Amino acid sequence: MIPGWVEAASVALLAVGVGCALYMAREMVRHPPKMAVMRFVWPLCALFAGPLLVWFYHRYAGPEAGDVPFAAKVAKGTLHCGAGCSLADLICENLAYFAPGVLTLFGMGTIFSTQIFAQWTMDYVFALATGIVFQYFAIAPMRDLSVGEGIKAAIKADVLSLTSWQVGMYGFMGLAHFILLPAILGSSPDAGSPVFWVAMQIAMLAGFATAYLPNWWLIRAGLKEEM
């Protein structure tokens, strides 16, 4: 059984994330970014990065921001990828929790005997699709590309970025699911517990860390737009 104080602390951390996301949503209304898709990126990333994301936005992206160093531009490009992952994971983890039968479409009972691996497969498929959509609306308008060319460019920009993000995210979630949470709590909670979602917040930060250098290369190579 999860101690009450752990549940309470988890709820508080999630509330901070939601509060920061609502704040960023208000900022997007007050100060719409030049790149329209970023209106969704900032609130979605605030769900896991919280006050750190709010600080970064005001320092390097808000109306009061000054010169933006290349390292910060890479961070914004990495967050662009993370927003797609965040949205996909929110949808997929809740879908798997409330309708677990959907996991049979992603190998549960045939390829996988452990549910978490089928969940990760579903997460990856949805995250990749969402990420390509996000990249399309970032790249196609800036380069004035046709639909087909825009999709190809979005795929080139997103597959490496998204995959490198998922490596960090899955790495931490696997560590939490199989080792850390069972050792600390005696079990690994599912998506019905706030503890699970706090672990997901940390996993997203791990995903940012593993995706940062690939995004640096993608932007330098001209495969991904500076944000």
Side-chain angles (χ1 to χ4, degrees):
M1 183 176 179
I2 300 174
W5 72 268
V6 174
E7 292 273 3
S10 298
V11 170
L13 288 171
L14 294 176
V16 170
V18 171
C20 289
L22 291 173
Y23 172 81
M24 289 308 305
R26 189 190 70 168
E27 286 297 296
M28 296 302 98
V29 174
R30 294 175 61 194
H31 308 289
K34 294 180 180 179
M35 190 178 291
V37 71
M38 295 302 288
R39 298 178 187 181
F40 303 97
V41 170
W42 293 110
L44 283 168
C45 290
L47 287 171
F48 65 83
L52 181 61
L53 187 283
V54 173
W55 169 83
F56 181 83
Y57 166 78
H58 284 295
R59 177 66 179 83
Y60 295 113
E64 68 275 31
D67 292 336
V68 180
F70 183 72
K73 293 179 181 179
V74 174
K76 286 192 281 185
T78 308
L79 289 171
H80 185 275
C81 168
C85 293
S86 298
L87 181 59
D89 288 336
L90 280 170
I91 295 171
C92 290
E93 295 297 337
N94 280 292
L95 182 61
Y97 178 73
F98 290 105
V102 73
L103 293 176
T104 59
L105 299 175
F106 298 91
M108 185 62 197
T110 53
I111 301 174
F112 306 114
S113 58
T114 303
Q115 180 173 321
I116 192 172
F117 297 121
Q119 284 183 247
W120 287 354
T121 301
M122 180 170 67
D123 290 347
Y124 181 79
V125 170
F126 274 72
L128 186 59
T130 305
I132 290 172
V133 171
F134 273 44
Q135 287 296 339
Y136 174 84
F137 285 106
I139 293 173
M142 293 186 71
R143 299 183 188 175
D144 193 25
L145 300 177
S146 67
V147 173
E149 291 173 335
I151 291 174
K152 289 179 183 178
I155 291 172
K156 290 179 181 179
D158 197 63
V159 171
L160 175 60
S161 179
L162 183 283
T163 302
S164 61
W165 183 289
Q166 298 293 84
V167 166
M169 190 191 79
Y170 291 161
F172 180 82
M173 286 305 290
L175 182 66
H177 180 83
F178 292 110
I179 300 176
L180 296 179
L181 292 177
I184 297 171
L185 303 176
S187 63
S188 185
D190 57 25
S193 168
V195 177
F196 171 90
W197 291 104
V198 169
M200 184 67 80
Q201 285 179 319
I202 300 171
M204 288 292 178
L205 295 174
F208 176 89
T210 55
Y212 184 82
L213 288 181
N215 274 272
W216 186 296
W217 177 81
L218 286 166
I219 294 171
R220 282 293 193 201
L223 295 174
K224 192 169 182 177
E225 295 295 329
E226 290 186 358
M227 299 294 170

